[in-house]
Amino acid sequence: MTRVVEEICQIAFDKLELIRITANVYEPNIASARVLEKNGFILEGRMRKAVKKADRIYDVCIYGKVR
């Protein structure tokens, strides 16, 4: 998955000429957060108690990567 995210980001920056990519991860999803971090995404913020899923409430971590 790390390699896939790397390639998608490269396409987004090079071909689509994006300046910024934002990704949201539910707080307990450590594996997805780690994939983003390995690809240079920075934790920019956290929305507390932002999502309800299967009768549980989660924080959402906001990651960003800038060209």
Side-chain angles (χ1 to χ4, degrees), residues 4 7 10 30 37 39 42 48 58:
V4 171
E7 289 185 28
Q10 196 67 40
I30 297 167
E37 291 167 357
N39 278 285
I42 304 296
R48 294 180 58 228
Y58 298 101

Side-chain angles (χ1 to χ4, degrees), residues 8-22 65-67:
I8 293 289
C9 288
Q10 196 67 40
I11 291 168
F13 288 137
D14 293 344
K15 305 263 188 217
L16 301 177
E17 299 181 357
L18 295 183
I19 297 171
R20 172 184 183 75
I21 302 171
T22 301
K65 181 173 181 165
V66 178
R67 174 185 275 192

Side-chain angles (χ1 to χ4, degrees), residues 24-36 53 58-59 61 63:
N24 296 331
V25 177
Y26 296 166
E27 184 183 19
N29 193 342
I30 297 167
S32 291
R34 186 68 188 125
V35 166
L36 294 173
K53 180 179 176 185
Y58 298 101
D59 290 358
C61 298
Y63 284 86

Side-chain angles (χ1 to χ4, degrees), residues 26 28-29 49-60:
Y26 296 166
N29 193 342
K49 299 181 180 182
V51 174
K52 183 176 181 182
K53 180 179 176 185
D55 294 328
R56 294 197 58 195
I57 297 174
Y58 298 101
D59 290 358
V60 173

